[in-house]
Amino acid sequence: MTVQASVSAREFDAKRRHAIAAATVGNGLEWFDFTVYGFFTPIIARLFFPAIDDLTSILLTVGTYGVGFFMRPVGAVVLGVYADKKGRKAALTLTILMMAFGTALLGFAPTYAQAGIIGPLVIVLARLIQGFSAGGEIGGATAFLIEYAPPEKRGFYASWQQTSQALAVVLGGICGTIVTHVLDPAAIDSWGWRVPFLLGLLIGPVGFYIRARVDETPVFTDSHTQKSESPLRDALRDHPRGIASGFGVTILWTVCTYVLLFYMTTYAVKQLNIPLADAFVATTVGGLVLMLGCPIAGALSDRVGRKRLLLAAAIAIGVLIYPLFVWVNASPNLMTLAIVQAILGLLLAAFTGPAPALLAEQFPAGLRSTGLSLAYNFAVTIFGGFAAVIVTLLIEATGTKLAPSFYVMAAALVSALTLLTMKDKTGKPID
């Protein structure tokens, strides 16, 4: 190898590291707001959605959380097409700015006591803007990562997309832990709950700076890459199987994310009577395990195959989720909850670490962001956005606190059956 070739290789390796940083930090900061909203649901319920009973108040709050997911498919179409036509970098820069605006609205929203119905309406508007932004994030970020990756490391590179979401859980958990330990309940209700959202405003300058300085992916700029004049039409016409299979795999991915991570804080407080501060600690533990486990699982999928690893993880989740819920309900304390969250974090890492690469490999470069965004976001909207509402209603309807495990088991079955029908493209050439 010549000196010039060696320098070029080092320069491209540096660009790859920059690409991971751009996708990971930006995506993590975007999901930080989603996380803290889920964590502070009990407080937001009291301040913005006062009702005659706690159940109605919680349902209104998590329902508003889910409202943003109605915009996910819209964002998937608009921003996914934009990324396939104008570039991954352009789309990712736009999404980070939109999410920052939504976060600002949440951080400064007046409460119901201060402004009446205007307060809840501001929350709804913020959630709609963030839902639209998030709809384009997964497709753009995953396409960005996989197109910078060496062929034999696509699973590892793409896993950083989910790693960044786990980072958001950790940061949200740390913020929640500090706020609830340092401030008294009156101060939290007065202004403390706003602190994590205002910190989330770092999304704007930090994320924009990092993403604006990264180069477009070499695959997208390659003159041999076929671009589509109508990515949405061509994805639906030429790759319905890829979209359908991606949808099926995403069901377990999104149910686990929104039930076992984001909702568990509310579940611990409302169903297990565990103090909010302890619930934050346990969630942070689960987030740390997920964050560390995702890159390992992604790298492992590069060796053993993505389909095999995801199928094993789906079966393990389906089998273990019920006894884990039985255990935490029988012994509702910080230690048990933290161990359960750690186990769930490990299982979730085994599934979600390789999942982004598996989905991205189903589509050619010219349609990758659109196809992936469609498959992922429609599943997230249907099964993830209202997961908290669904499990809350399940608990009320069945009269058992174990009901969330039923929802997860059903999702595991659907995704496992979907995986059996898919072709594994691990290590195979993609354009």
Side-chain angles (χ1 to χ4, degrees):
M1 179 181 292
T2 65
V3 173
Q4 183 177 0
S6 177
V7 172
S8 297
R10 287 200 299 271
E11 289 177 348
F12 191 66
D13 284 343
K15 288 184 177 181
R16 282 174 167 160
R17 291 191 295 271
H18 192 183
I20 290 178
T24 301
V25 175
N27 194 44
L29 286 174
E30 285 207 32
W31 284 98
F32 174 82
D33 180 78
F34 275 72
T35 303
V36 294
Y37 185 97
F39 286 174
F40 282 93
T41 290
I43 297 171
I44 294 173
R46 293 198 305 270
L47 298 178
F48 288 89
F49 302 94
I52 58 175
D53 58 77
D54 283 347
L55 174 62
T56 303
S57 184
I58 290 292
L59 285 174
L60 285 172
T61 308
V62 297
T64 300
Y65 182 79
V67 161
F69 286 81
F70 279 123
M71 293 299 291
R72 293 286 287 265
V74 180
V77 172
V78 175
L79 296 174
V81 169
Y82 183 67
D84 281 333
K85 297 187 75 170
K86 300 298 183 181
R88 321 311 189 195
K89 175 182 175 179
L92 291 178
T93 303
L94 177 60
T95 60
I96 204 80
L97 293 176
M98 294 181 65
M99 184 64 77
F101 180 62
T103 300
L105 287 178
L106 282 168
F108 293 105
T111 64
Y112 187 89
Q114 293 169 335
I117 193 63
I118 293 176
L121 289 178
V122 171
I123 297 292
V124 171
L125 176 61
R127 297 298 306 141
L128 290 173
I129 293 172
Q130 292 178 323
F132 181 87
S133 173
E137 177 68 24
I138 180 71
T142 305
F144 194 81
L145 288 166
I146 200 171
E147 290 171 8
Y148 257 110
E152 71 280 3
K153 293 184 178 180
R154 292 198 298 260
F156 173 72
Y157 272 65
S159 70
W160 286 91
Q161 192 280 332
Q162 182 64 24
T163 301
S164 65
Q165 293 189 29
L167 173 63
V169 174
V170 172
L171 293 177
I174 291 173
C175 282
T177 300
I178 293 174
V179 167
T180 51
H181 275 88
V182 172
L183 302 178
D184 59 54
I188 294 174
D189 283 359
S190 176
W191 57 269
W193 68 271
R194 297 182 187 272
V195 171
F197 292 105
L198 296 179
L199 289 175
L201 286 177
L202 290 173
I203 293 170
V206 174
F208 181 81
Y209 175 79
I210 293 174
R211 288 184 169 181
R213 289 171 57 86
V214 73
D215 291 337
E216 183 57 82
T217 72
V219 172
F220 186 84
T221 56
D222 191 336
S223 60
H224 294 92
T225 298
Q226 293 185 349
K227 307 294 195 305
S228 171
E229 291 297 320
S230 181
L232 176 61
R233 178 199 64 198
D234 293 345
L236 292 172
R237 182 191 63 197
D238 300 333
H239 299 277
R241 180 175 178 178
I243 294 174
S245 60
F247 178 92
V249 169
T250 303
I251 291 174
L252 181 58
W253 180 356
T254 189
V255 166
C256 285
T257 298
Y258 289 98
V259 173
L260 304 182
L261 286 178
F262 297 158
Y263 174 72
M264 280 300 286
T265 302
T266 301
Y267 180 83
V269 173
K270 293 296 182 180
Q271 302 298 331
L272 304 179
N273 295 317
I274 292 176
L276 181 60
D278 288 351
F280 280 134
V281 171
T283 302
T284 304
V285 170
L288 279 170
V289 173
L290 178 61
M291 184 178 70
L292 297 173
C294 279
I296 297 173
L300 182 61
S301 76
D302 287 323
R303 292 178 173 270
V304 304
R306 280 176 257 294
K307 177 178 176 178
R308 181 183 302 175
L309 182 56
L310 265 75
L311 186 57
I315 294 172
I317 292 171
V319 170
L320 294 176
I321 188 65
Y322 181 79
L324 287 173
F325 264 80
V326 169
W327 183 28
V328 77
N329 274 271
S331 181
N333 55 59
L334 172 59
M335 181 62 70
T336 303
L337 183 62
I339 294 173
V340 167
Q341 287 286 69
I343 295 172
L344 292 174
L346 184 61
L347 294 173
L348 187 54
F351 190 87
T352 62
L358 179 77
L359 268 62
E361 288 168 337
Q362 307 304 309
F363 306 99
L367 305 172
R368 183 166 293 133
S369 184
T370 301
L372 199 159
S373 294
L374 288 173
Y376 178 84
N377 284 290
F378 274 91
V380 170
T381 298
I382 297 170
F383 298 99
F386 290 94
V389 175
I390 292 170
V391 296
T392 300
L393 292 175
L394 276 175
I395 292 170
E396 289 298 309
T398 61
T400 174
K401 297 177 182 180
L402 305 178
S405 68
F406 305 156
Y407 189 46
V408 176
M409 284 189 286
L413 177 62
V414 173
S415 291
L417 292 175
T418 301
L419 284 163
L420 291 174
T421 69
M422 294 181 70
K423 294 181 180 179
D424 194 336
K425 299 181 180 181
T426 303
K428 295 179 181 179
I430 59 171
D431 59 358

